[in-house]
Amino acid sequence: MAFNEHKIKSAKSKIDGMGAFAIAPIKARSKIGNMTGEIISTREARKRVKATKRIKMVEFNERWALDATNSNDISNINHSCSPNTYIRLINTTVEFYALRNIKKGEELTADYGETQHEKTLKCGCGAPNCRGWL
Ligand SMILES: [Zn+2]
């Protein structure tokens, strides 16, 4: 879990809890890494979300999901409605790429709105175009 292959580290975030930060500049469109976790059935994922309200859950499709509760630094990337990274779901991998050049020390954010469908959490990203929910 402490494996920092991709120039990021976890630290306290102004957005929410822990966040992920660039420890070196990251070039636009370069891959930051994959979010690790436990691949489970979507059915199991929904059960866990209901039972624990855990939000680090990514649904790939109607069959598979990723529980990123025990994951790497990437899973600390917070949601923002105006993010600096983007997510590509490929089969059952969650890949993160830089949306633009990211400076050293910048907090990494991604738009989880496209992967999460619950819309029950208030968004605190503070972006001017914030949608208000997660
Ligand atoms: Zn927002």
Side-chain angles (χ1 to χ4, degrees):
M1 244 191 282
F3 186 54
N4 281 331
E5 188 187 352
H6 303 285
K7 302 181 233 168
I8 68 166
K9 63 163 188 188
S10 297
K12 210 169 172 323
S13 164
K14 276 188 216 141
I15 300 173
D16 181 47
M18 292 293 278
F21 295 79
I23 56 177
I26 301 172
K27 270 216 174 92
R29 281 181 293 281
S30 65
K31 188 176 175 184
I32 296 162
N34 291 351
M35 185 192 275
T36 60
E38 186 188 355
I39 305 285
I40 54 174
S41 70
T42 298
R43 199 187 155 131
E44 173 64 18
R46 287 179 184 166
K47 257 204 272 182
R48 290 185 187 183
V49 167
K50 264 207 187 113
T52 65
K53 300 259 188 291
R54 78 181 84 183
I55 54 162
K56 287 182 179 178
M57 196 74 80
V58 178
E59 280 188 24
F60 298 111
N61 50 48
E62 273 155 38
R63 212 182 141 87
W64 300 110
L66 179 84
D67 182 345
T69 305
N70 297 308
S71 184
N72 53 358
D73 290 317
I74 297 239
S75 73
N76 284 324
I77 293 178
N78 274 311
H79 168 86
S80 173
C81 300
S82 182
N84 55 17
T85 76
Y86 64 94
I87 303 167
R88 282 177 72 194
L89 300 181
I90 297 169
N91 299 317
T92 54
T93 62
V94 186
E95 303 184 334
F96 284 76
Y97 294 85
L99 199 55
R100 55 169 171 76
N101 289 324
I102 297 169
K103 290 189 216 101
K104 180 183 171 184
E106 241 187 280
E107 175 163 8
L108 304 178
T109 54
D111 188 350
Y112 287 102
E114 288 161 22
T115 55
Q116 222 150 344
H117 312 288
E118 298 290 320
K119 299 183 188 166
T120 51
L121 285 169
K122 222 172 173 242
C123 183
C125 77
N129 63 337
C130 181
R131 293 189 294 264
W133 49 263
L134 262 180

